């Protein structure tokens, strides 16, 4: 039996994981990568530690972390999910560990371990990898494809398109007939100039709640004051879920922040209870909420309450002001910043043009797509890689199941 030829365009996470799962007895595989090194994003991922996946083993729950793709990924995760990722790497002597926030990393704490495993697997199968091979064009000729690079053309029976979200590769897939959802950034932090945050860089809030009234949306979770404004999971989550709407607002909008993340009436009750139990205390030294003393003093300053004022002599108006700054603080966002260089793109190939049973194109025969090129993305925590692994695995299974005579 003559082996069939597969060309994988893009030597990133999705492309390599697909190759690593393909049956070498059936296929000759060629990976074409435009850079001089493969898997460059894996290398820098998770601060160099590679957050491979997330310890969430129920497909129904796992899809909740994907602002785009949650409906479509359900069936994909039923076939290959985080537990399968752990097993795949562990079978190849790469133990993974689950951290307290459920993120999964290699025990080595080095992304190189993940890279080496996939590169070794591909080498072992004797698949070919060509770097500095920029794919410029793909042409369908009768029953096969011709893939053109500056240094030559290659023929393939099947194409696996895993180019990530570079504008050029999106243009190429559009020229082949696919429609695109316009790419916009996802996962970013908010730029805010506001006296509440001034000079408090590094102050964190474990249970903050952030809402965007205009979009009728809110998220909660840890939040952090940065040099530029606000960051942390609560902000990143809302930036991912509302990526498209926030782009339309040109990143200028109002947010309402509840720093301790408790409803204002509950905060009031908490305050009154504390006052009753500690009537002689100064307001400045009263530890009532889960916030730093520095931040508490900032709130009191904004409410124009003297730090050494006796808590019992606080007026109703002063209390209202304090609770307003603390639990319903309105701020203007005037732009965005990248989170630890971890930019993710929302947008890409329209999901209705993909058959999620096997990640094949509904437009092009014998053509598969996976990874960031699709209109799928997730919040931080290892979910973006998990989508790559699951989709790529599905492609490999579909191809491996083919019978050739
Ligand atoms: C700094 C950073 C840290 C991150 N950390 C994490 C993390 O810890 N966990 C997580 O889950 N996600 C993380 N992400 C997101 C994750 O890296 C991506 O979701 C993932 O890499 C997407 O994989 P992919 O294979 O689709 O695309 P990529 O990894 O981008 O691979 C696509 C490859 O195709 C190549 N290519 C493109 N066009 C062509 C062409 N025309 N010809 C030839 N080759 C081409 C590119 O050079 C690239 O190598 C991080 C992202 C960044 C930027």
């Amino acid at each position: 039996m003559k082996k069939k030829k597969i060309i994988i365009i893009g030597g990133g996470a999705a492309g390599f994981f697909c190759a690593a799962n393909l049956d070498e007895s059936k296929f000759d595989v060629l990976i074409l990568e435009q850079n001089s090194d493969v898997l460059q994003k894996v290398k820098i991922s998770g601060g160099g530690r590679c957050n491979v996946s997330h310890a969430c083993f129920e497909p129904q729950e796992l899809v909740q972390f994907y602002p785009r793709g949650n409906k479509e990924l359900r069936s994909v995760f039923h076939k290959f999910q985080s537990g399968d990722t752990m097993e795949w790497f562990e079978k190849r002597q790469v133990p993974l560990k689950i951290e307290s926030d459920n993120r999964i990393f290699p025990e080595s704490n080095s992304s190189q371990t993940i890279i080496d495993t996939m590169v070794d697997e591909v080498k072992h199968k004797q698949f070919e990898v060509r770097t500095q091979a920029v794919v410029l064009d793909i042409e369908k000729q009768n029953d096969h494809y011709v893939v053109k690079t500056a240094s030559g053309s290659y023929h393939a029976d099947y194409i696996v398109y895993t180019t990530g979200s570079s504008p050029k590769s999106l243009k190429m897939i559009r020229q082949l007939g696919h429609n695109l959802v316009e790419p916009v950034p996802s996962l970013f932090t908010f730029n805010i100039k506001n006296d509440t945050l001034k000079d408090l860089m590094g102050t964190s809030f474990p249970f903050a709640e952030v809402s965007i009234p205009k979009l009728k949306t809110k998220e909660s979770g840890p939040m952090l004051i940065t040099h530029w404004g606000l960051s942390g999971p609560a902000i990143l989550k809302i930036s991912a879920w509302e990526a498209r709407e926030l782009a339309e607002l040109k990143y200028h909008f109002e947010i309402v922040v509840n720093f301790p993340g408790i409803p204002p009436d509950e905060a009031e009750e908490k305050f009154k209870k504390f006052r009753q139990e500690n009537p002689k205390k100064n307001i400045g030294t009263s530890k009532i909420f889960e916030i730093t003393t520095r931040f508490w003093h900032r709130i009191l300053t904004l409410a124009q309450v003297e730090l050494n004022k006796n808590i019992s002599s606080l007026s109703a108006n002063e209390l209202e002001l304090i609770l307003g700054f603390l639990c319903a603080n309105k701020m203007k966002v005037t732009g965005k910043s990248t989170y630890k260089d971890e930019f993710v793109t929302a947008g890409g190939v329209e999901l209705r043009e993909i058959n999620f049973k096997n990640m094949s194109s509904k437009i092009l025969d014998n053509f598969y797509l996976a990874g960031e090129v699709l209109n799928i993305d997730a919040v931080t925590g290892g979910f973006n890689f998990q989508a790559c692994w699951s989709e790529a695995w599905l492609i490999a299974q579909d191809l491996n199941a083919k019978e050739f005579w």
Side-chain angles (χ1 to χ4, degrees), residues 111-128:
S111 58
Q112 194 59 44
T113 317
I114 301 297
I115 294 176
D116 291 346
T117 311
M118 288 196 281
V119 169
D120 287 351
E121 196 75 28
V122 165
K123 251 192 213 156
H124 177 74
K125 289 174 187 271
Q126 298 190 319
F127 294 158
E128 192 184 348

Side-chain angles (χ1 to χ4, degrees), residues 29 50 124 151 161 171 317 352:
V29 178
C50 186
H124 177 74
S151 53
Y161 201 82
K171 195 171 159 203
N317 187 35
R352 61 168 184 265

Side-chain angles (χ1 to χ4, degrees), residues 113-183:
T113 317
I114 301 297
I115 294 176
D116 291 346
T117 311
M118 288 196 281
V119 169
D120 287 351
E121 196 75 28
V122 165
K123 251 192 213 156
H124 177 74
K125 289 174 187 271
Q126 298 190 319
F127 294 158
E128 192 184 348
V129 180
R130 289 214 174 180
T131 51
Q132 292 181 311
V134 187
V135 173
L136 302 169
D137 193 22
I138 304 167
E139 221 177 81
K140 178 99 176 105
Q141 286 184 2
N142 305 321
D143 61 342
H144 67 275
Y145 287 96
V146 179
V147 177
K148 294 177 184 166
T149 71
S151 53
S153 295
Y154 306 91
H155 288 234
D157 299 296
Y158 298 96
I159 300 285
V160 178
Y161 201 82
T162 50
T163 53
S165 56
S166 77
K168 277 189 185 159
S169 62
L170 288 174
K171 195 171 159 203
M172 190 154 61
I173 195 74
R174 180 184 267 153
Q175 280 164 353
L176 283 164
H178 270 290
N179 285 297
L180 299 181
V181 176
E182 247 356 273

Side-chain angles (χ1 to χ4, degrees), residues 209-213 215-220 234 238 241-242 256:
E209 191 184 273
V210 184
S211 57
I212 305 176
L215 302 177
K216 295 189 176 60
T217 180
K218 68 174 150 200
E219 283 292 342
S220 48
I238 212 162
W241 282 99
E242 304 301 328
V256 180

Side-chain angles (χ1 to χ4, degrees), residues 10 12-14 33-35 45-46 51 133 135 163 341-342 371-372 382 384-385:
E33 167 55 48
Q34 65 184 4
N35 290 330
S45 68
N51 180 190
V135 173
T163 53
D341 295 330
E342 211 165 301
E372 221 176 280
N384 282 304
F385 278 144

Side-chain angles (χ1 to χ4, degrees), residues 8-16 32-35 37-42 44-47 49-53 103 105 130 133-136 149 161-166 168-169 172 187 339-344 370-374 379-389 391:
I8 297 178
I9 303 174
F16 256 83
L32 295 174
E33 167 55 48
Q34 65 184 4
N35 290 330
D37 270 325
V38 295
L39 294 161
Q40 284 192 356
K41 260 200 196 172
V42 174
I44 56 168
S45 68
R49 294 202 299 142
C50 186
N51 180 190
V52 191
S53 183
R103 290 184 302 160
F105 289 89
R130 289 214 174 180
V134 187
V135 173
L136 302 169
T149 71
Y161 201 82
T162 50
T163 53
S165 56
S166 77
K168 277 189 185 159
S169 62
M172 190 154 61
L187 282 185
Y339 168 69
K340 292 189 192 166
D341 295 330
E342 211 165 301
F343 47 87
V344 167
E372 221 176 280
V373 69
L374 299 172
V379 298
T380 48
F383 303 103
N384 282 304
F385 278 144
Q386 185 54 53
C388 289
W389 314 138
E391 295 158 12

